[in-house]
Amino acid sequence: MRYLTGVAAPSPQTFEDVKLVLLSPWSTAALALCVAAAVTALALSAWSYRRHRWPGRLALTVLRALALSAVLALVLQPALQLRSVTRLPNHIAVVIDRSLSMSIRESGGSESRLDRARAVLTRSRPRVASWRETRVVDFFAFGAQLSPLGEAAIDGGTPSARAGSAAEPKAKRGTAAEPKAKRGTDTLSADEGATRIRAALAALRRRFRGNDLAGVVLLSDGRDNGRFGSGQLSLPSRKFLDKFGAPIHTVFVGRSLVRDVAVTTVFADDFAFVRNAVKVEADVSISGIDKPRVPVMLIRGEEIIARQVIEVKPGKREYRVRFEFVPQRVGKFVFTVAAPVYEGEALTHNNRRSFLVNVIRDRIRVLQICGRPSWDQRFLRRLLKRDPNVDLISFFILRTPTSLALVPPSELSLIPFPTEELFQKELGSFDLVILQNFNYAPYGIGIYLPHLRRYVERGGGLAMVGGDLSFTSGGYFGTPISRVLPLRLLPPSANRDRLTSSAKFRPKLTRRGRDHPILQIGATRAETVQLLKSLPSLAGVNRVAGLARGATLLAAHPQLRTASGRPMPVLATREVGKGRTLALTTDSSWHWAFKAVGRGATRRAYDRFWHGAIRWLIRDPELKYVRIIVGRSRVRRGAKQRVVIRVYRPDYSPAKDVKVSYEIAPPASTKARRKGSSKADVAVARTARTNDAGEVRLELTPHAVGAWRVKASAVVGGREASETELFLVEPAGPELRDANASDTLLRQISLATKGRYLGRAEALPELSFRPPRVLQVNWRRDIELWSRWWWLVGALLLLGLEWLLRRKLGHI
């Protein structure tokens, strides 16, 4: 075996020892039976002496016991065995905790727990030297696993916390892992992300057989997060220690109570539904804080959305707080449970804990407003009602304020149009608003049009469907709505008869329209074009001035032209702020359902068209041209994280050899250098080209704790497409969630293995260990005690004395 102590192992040594042995040839069962018979005889004799006074009764019992003992000696045949043996030195394992919690400097002091353990061993050099005279002293360090340690590491003065390097992603077409730095045996630093004492002890037991392990000296803060835990030992753990076979002496290098507030655990779901209550619970540990109340906040980004106050009670450390909030927007968000940082805390970064919540739609909430009943309104409403993923609120006007009524209004069963409730109070709760052949002016909605514009700019979807009450005919020219539509409207001064056309036509797809997801009604581009050619003609269109800036024309009228000579738009889309808008200048799309069925076809084209339009308007993630897939939404600090950027062409085939610009940014709080780090994590911007699968693969090693942002963009179909994804970097394990140390586990380990709990010892005292293993017996001599003549004479004398005393007392 190779020893890493730097000191030569002692050679096997010769010892002479004396011990008492039994030479009887009888079996153990026979000897046990003889002993039982002697004890029974003594008990019966004592019972028969009960009528005598106690001095005589006591004398008779003692004489009988001595006589029986002399007789048993003749049966057991005791002897003194003298031996000369050669023993092989066994091992004393000095095991040092190197987990992250050992780097804590309590009460703001300059000495860490690891420094304290080093000091104990430095002051114990004479003791260790005395152990080496007869044994081998091995040094080990452990965190998640046990590793040998050179003695030089104890005096090396290596830092208590390892500096982390900045995250540097590597773009490549094939993924290859970075080489892992090899840790030397002459370095000791508190950098392990776990404390697993049982695993370390099990590794020692496997390393040394039987008496080869004389004992263990364990130096730790007792914060085990493995199978032992920090509380009372479980039954399997007790059995493990009972069978360990060597004493474990423990040294506590922590302080039982430090000043610290820690958010130890957050209980929250990874997914939540928009506009549904979300519950979050968090466990908070408070120790050494002299405040009667400690506020705890739930933060989204920089906004405090909920707040709770903990009433601090003497003697109580663990508290649970509960929050509830209602998310109003879809997307992935970073939330943080945070407590204030108080002066003198041992740790400050554990006062907050972040988590990600992906807010999704449970159902798509659609508001449909129609100016009058029509076939177009009826087919679209039926389509939306039939979809279980759509929550539809539909209003269509049956009478206007100027309509002639033959009965009083109180006798009408119609409800008034809830303009204020829809456009001011509840507008933000809808994912999509459809204005279908609707003129706003008669219903006093003009004052709410700015609300509708802001709704789109903040992420809402808006579709305007044509008809004689829509676009310019509906009075939308010059309104806030006209500024977000994908079309430029004609002024109302134009000839009203020229605002619409009732001629039949087949819309003509543009180049971008062929690949747009709204018009993907076939399995392939060719099938889509063929289906559109075979569909029934549409009837009627609203005339417009042309496309708005930034809009995309998907379909145009085959004959009509704008004043500039360009084709008259029929279907167009536009992205405005965070929202999207769509304009369909005809109210006859229902022909693709009703008339198609009448001609023996199916309504599949109509259904796919409107489903595609809705998915595009609400920004369905599956319709994005650039997608980012992270390996894990949560990774440990210093662990590998893989990121895949996928780019699709307009027809959603992989975009090969496309330039991708990406940026990986750490949390904003890490722009400053981290304490103890040689350099800080910084934002990285790079470019790469996609492989044959349309992918760019990245690999990085993040060190900054918090939410990281990955942003990628590429030019697809002549337009820039981008996507942003988040992932969370968590502290490396549970080590620094709680700064408090605990000696409860160390006391139990020493008690269960017949070792000594040394507490906060300044140096190691003299300790007991298992004897070395016998390598060979040089000579042996047995001195028989039972075969001496005086032993037989003594036995007969005792029996005679008992007989004489019994006669004197009149007991026969």
Side-chain angles (χ1 to χ4, degrees), residues 205-350:
R205 191 68 276 180
R206 291 191 299 269
R207 190 183 187 92
F208 302 108
R209 299 178 181 177
N211 281 16
D212 285 349
L213 182 61
V216 179
V217 178
L218 174 64
L219 298 93
S220 174
D221 59 3
R223 296 296 301 178
D224 184 87
N225 41 60
R227 298 179 66 182
F228 274 164
S230 299
Q232 295 297 318
L233 287 173
S234 64
L235 182 59
S237 296
R238 291 183 181 277
K239 289 182 178 179
F240 169 80
L241 292 174
D242 289 342
K243 297 178 180 179
F244 186 72
I248 302 175
H249 309 289
T250 56
V251 179
F252 181 53
V253 296
R255 297 293 181 262
S256 296
L257 190 66
V258 299
R259 186 177 176 85
D260 187 51
V261 176
V263 180
T264 56
T265 311
V266 174
F267 303 94
D269 293 329
D270 294 334
F271 292 89
F273 293 112
V274 67
R275 292 181 292 275
N276 285 266
V278 178
K279 295 181 179 180
V280 176
E281 294 185 352
D283 286 341
V284 182
S285 175
I286 302 175
S287 62
I289 302 297
D290 54 357
K291 302 289 184 181
R293 297 177 182 83
V294 174
V296 183
M297 294 150 287
L298 179 63
I299 304 171
R300 180 180 57 208
E302 301 296 329
E303 176 189 4
I304 298 176
I305 60 175
R307 178 187 174 99
Q308 297 289 345
V309 177
I310 296 176
E311 300 287 340
V312 181
K313 299 178 181 178
K316 185 177 181 181
R317 284 182 50 195
E318 303 297 331
Y319 301 86
R320 177 163 290 189
V321 293
R322 294 174 174 83
F323 303 98
E324 185 173 317
F325 67 98
V326 178
Q328 297 295 332
R329 291 187 294 135
V330 173
K332 184 177 286 188
F333 300 95
V334 180
F335 294 87
T336 303
V337 177
V341 176
Y342 295 98
E343 184 178 359
E345 284 196 51
L347 294 174
T348 57
H349 69 270
N350 64 354

Side-chain angles (χ1 to χ4, degrees), residues 387-455:
D387 192 337
N389 296 315
V390 173
D391 180 15
L392 176 65
I393 305 296
S394 179
F395 289 92
F396 49 95
I397 309 301
L398 295 179
R399 63 183 299 272
T400 66
T402 59
S403 298
L404 181 63
L406 302 178
V407 296
S410 59
E411 297 184 14
L412 293 176
S413 61
L414 304 179
I415 62 172
F417 192 38
T419 55
E420 181 179 358
E421 183 177 0
L422 283 179
F423 293 100
Q424 187 170 354
K425 296 180 180 179
E426 298 293 332
L427 184 60
S429 67
F430 293 100
D431 301 299
L432 172 63
V433 176
I434 301 175
L435 301 179
Q436 190 169 10
N437 194 29
F438 175 72
N439 58 333
Y440 68 90
Y443 314 103
I445 298 177
I447 59 175
Y448 301 110
L449 295 185
H451 293 266
L452 194 54
R453 175 186 175 183
R454 286 193 295 270
Y455 160 80

Side-chain angles (χ1 to χ4, degrees), residues 20-263:
L20 182 66
V21 296
L22 300 178
L23 301 180
S24 175
W26 293 7
S27 66
T28 302
L31 294 177
L33 185 60
C34 292
V35 173
V39 172
T40 303
L42 180 61
L44 293 174
S45 299
W47 175 263
S48 66
Y49 301 150
R50 67 185 184 281
R51 59 187 179 87
H52 300 292
R53 293 185 178 183
W54 71 269
R57 186 168 65 249
L58 178 61
L60 286 172
T61 303
V62 171
L63 287 173
R64 178 59 63 90
L66 292 175
L68 288 174
S69 299
V71 174
L72 274 178
L74 296 175
V75 177
L76 299 177
Q77 301 179 14
L80 291 177
Q81 187 177 82
L82 306 179
R83 297 191 309 168
S84 173
V85 297
T86 300
R87 293 183 181 273
L88 182 67
N90 53 6
H91 296 253
I92 297 174
V94 179
V95 183
I96 307 169
D97 187 348
R98 70 183 304 166
S99 61
L100 281 170
S101 64
M102 292 288 285
S103 67
I104 295 175
R105 305 175 189 273
E106 292 127 331
S107 304
S110 59
E111 186 183 50
S112 70
R113 294 170 182 171
L114 184 59
D115 295 333
R116 202 171 296 130
R118 278 200 182 100
V120 171
L121 295 178
T122 300
R123 288 189 289 266
S124 302
R125 285 175 179 170
R127 182 69 61 196
V128 174
S130 68
W131 292 343
R132 285 200 173 109
E133 294 176 1
T134 57
R135 292 180 171 87
V136 180
V137 180
D138 294 320
F139 289 89
F140 298 90
F142 78 95
Q145 59 186 7
L146 186 76
S147 58
L149 183 68
E151 189 176 358
I154 299 174
D155 305 321
T158 54
S160 296
R162 181 176 61 186
S165 60
E168 282 293 335
K170 299 177 291 182
K172 49 195 172 299
R173 300 198 178 198
T175 303
E178 292 181 356
K180 186 176 182 179
K182 183 179 181 180
R183 179 188 298 149
T185 58
D186 292 329
T187 60
L188 176 61
S189 56
D191 55 6
E192 288 282 344
T195 305
R196 296 173 183 167
I197 297 178
R198 177 168 173 174
L201 295 177
L204 279 178
R205 191 68 276 180
R206 291 191 299 269
R207 190 183 187 92
F208 302 108
R209 299 178 181 177
N211 281 16
D212 285 349
L213 182 61
V216 179
V217 178
L218 174 64
L219 298 93
S220 174
D221 59 3
R223 296 296 301 178
D224 184 87
N225 41 60
R227 298 179 66 182
F228 274 164
S230 299
Q232 295 297 318
L233 287 173
S234 64
L235 182 59
S237 296
R238 291 183 181 277
K239 289 182 178 179
F240 169 80
L241 292 174
D242 289 342
K243 297 178 180 179
F244 186 72
I248 302 175
H249 309 289
T250 56
V251 179
F252 181 53
V253 296
R255 297 293 181 262
S256 296
L257 190 66
V258 299
R259 186 177 176 85
D260 187 51
V261 176
V263 180

Side-chain angles (χ1 to χ4, degrees), residues 11-15 17 83 85-90 134 211 771-776:
S11 302
Q13 299 179 359
T14 301
F15 298 88
D17 60 16
R83 297 191 309 168
V85 297
T86 300
R87 293 183 181 273
L88 182 67
N90 53 6
T134 57
N211 281 16
R773 178 165 56 91
V774 174
L775 182 61
Q776 67 180 13

Side-chain angles (χ1 to χ4, degrees), residues 464-731:
M464 182 173 286
V465 182
D468 60 343
L469 301 178
S470 192
F471 297 105
T472 302
S473 301
Y476 289 99
F477 178 83
T479 65
I481 294 298
S482 66
R483 298 188 180 97
V484 298
L485 288 176
L487 304 176
R488 292 183 292 111
L489 304 184
L490 293 170
S493 58
N495 187 343
R496 190 169 183 83
D497 294 334
R498 298 287 299 170
L499 294 179
T500 60
S501 171
S502 59
K504 293 183 178 181
F505 68 98
R506 291 181 183 274
K508 183 179 180 181
L509 290 184
T510 64
R511 179 177 58 85
R512 290 184 175 178
R514 293 189 186 97
D515 297 319
H516 202 278
I518 291 180
L519 289 173
Q520 294 299 308
I521 60 176
T524 62
R525 176 192 289 186
E527 184 180 344
T528 295
V529 173
Q530 187 61 36
L531 276 173
L532 288 174
K533 289 180 179 179
S534 64
L535 288 173
S537 301
L538 303 180
V541 67
N542 292 81
R543 296 175 182 267
V544 295
L547 283 179
R549 180 178 299 179
T552 300
L553 181 63
L554 305 183
H557 200 283
Q559 290 90 29
L560 297 180
R561 294 288 186 271
T562 63
S564 62
R566 296 180 179 274
M568 185 70 65
V570 174
L571 178 64
T573 60
R574 183 183 178 189
E575 298 200 20
V576 183
K578 296 181 179 180
R580 289 176 170 178
T581 60
L582 175 146
L584 177 63
T585 58
T586 179
D587 61 351
S588 58
S589 64
W590 62 276
H591 289 188
W592 289 353
F594 183 74
K595 290 189 176 182
V597 173
R599 291 165 52 180
T602 67
R603 54 177 296 161
R604 184 182 65 179
Y606 177 82
D607 292 353
R608 286 188 174 180
F609 165 71
W610 275 110
H611 282 140
I614 293 170
R615 290 177 63 191
W616 184 85
L617 285 166
I618 66 172
R619 291 184 179 271
D620 189 328
E622 294 299 321
L623 296 182
K624 293 182 177 180
Y625 294 133
V626 177
R627 303 177 196 173
I628 300 175
I629 300 96
V630 296
R632 289 168 291 176
S633 60
R634 292 185 178 90
V635 295
R636 294 282 178 86
R637 177 179 178 267
K640 299 290 185 184
Q641 173 68 306
R642 290 178 173 82
V643 179
V644 178
I645 302 172
R646 291 178 181 167
V647 183
Y648 296 89
R649 298 194 183 279
D651 59 355
Y652 287 91
S653 62
K656 303 177 183 179
D657 198 32
V658 172
K659 180 181 177 182
V660 177
S661 301
Y662 64 89
E663 177 183 345
I664 301 176
S669 60
T670 63
K671 292 180 180 179
R673 293 181 182 270
R674 299 187 313 278
K675 183 179 179 181
S677 295
S678 60
K679 52 183 177 178
D681 286 317
V682 295
V684 176
R686 298 282 191 275
T687 60
R689 303 196 76 86
T690 57
N691 58 18
D692 291 343
E695 296 179 347
V696 172
R697 293 179 173 269
L698 308 174
E699 188 177 272
L700 64 151
T701 306
H703 294 284
V705 175
W708 285 63
R709 188 186 77 252
V710 181
K711 184 177 181 180
S713 61
V715 176
V716 179
R719 298 187 62 184
E720 184 179 42
S722 63
E723 173 67 328
T724 301
E725 183 61 275
L726 299 172
F727 67 89
L728 197 64
V729 176
E730 297 180 323

